[in-house]
Amino acid sequence: MPTLVIATDAGVDTVQRSRMPPLREGLIESHGKNRNAFCHDRIQEAAYRRIPAERRARLHYQVGTLRLQTPGELTNERLFEIADHIDQALAGYRRVFAVYRTQSAGCRLHPAVRRLRGRLQLL
């Protein structure tokens, strides 16, 4: 459930209520109180594509960071999952940065673009 709370920027109660319609419609399955899964990878892909690219990059970074901070053993599988989220975040930020760079060619860089460039260098 913490991942859904991050992904939706909503509280736990809101997430609990909002997951009920997809459960009834058979789009997601409940695997215990705090665990959900899409019933099919195509449903997951469709939901993922509806998220704007900038938000997807931020979500991947937040989920990767959350998984790294979650107590428990850092198994190879978990480390690869974390690395995959961070890699996807970096790729997403690079794509967004490339779009802004193209749009602002010949213009003074927008402060947000300068900030994004600085963050990319930190990663």
Side-chain angles (χ1 to χ4, degrees):
M1 190 67 63
T3 305
L4 282 175
V5 171
I6 288 172
T8 59
D9 285 330
V12 174
D13 292 337
T14 303
V15 170
Q16 289 282 12
R17 282 191 308 274
S18 65
R19 74 186 187 113
M20 297 314 292
L23 275 169
R24 282 192 300 271
E25 293 173 21
L27 299 173
I28 61 173
E29 300 171 329
S30 180
H31 297 277
K33 183 179 178 185
N34 293 325
R35 185 110 169 99
N36 298 296
F38 287 96
C39 293
H40 196 279
D41 62 339
R42 298 285 186 188
I43 296 169
Q44 181 179 359
E45 289 171 16
Y48 182 77
R49 295 286 173 228
R50 292 187 66 179
I51 302 170
E54 296 124 0
R55 176 107 171 96
R56 283 195 307 253
R58 184 167 40 114
L59 285 173
H60 279 296
Y61 179 76
Q62 289 172 321
V63 170
T65 303
L66 174 72
R67 292 289 293 139
L68 185 60
Q69 295 169 352
T70 302
E73 184 181 355
L74 285 175
T75 62
N76 281 342
E77 181 179 325
R78 185 169 165 200
L79 285 172
F80 277 112
E81 177 191 349
I82 293 165
D84 187 47
H85 279 291
I86 300 301
D87 285 346
Q88 289 184 49
L90 281 170
Y93 285 132
R94 284 187 183 117
R95 281 191 298 274
V96 169
F97 179 67
V99 167
Y100 283 124
R101 186 174 41 196
T102 302
Q103 290 176 351
S104 64
C107 299
R108 198 176 68 127
L109 283 179
H110 189 278
V113 175
R114 285 196 307 270
R115 183 175 179 194
L116 180 59
R117 179 184 284 169
R119 294 285 168 95
L120 283 173
Q121 289 173 348
L122 289 175
L123 292 173

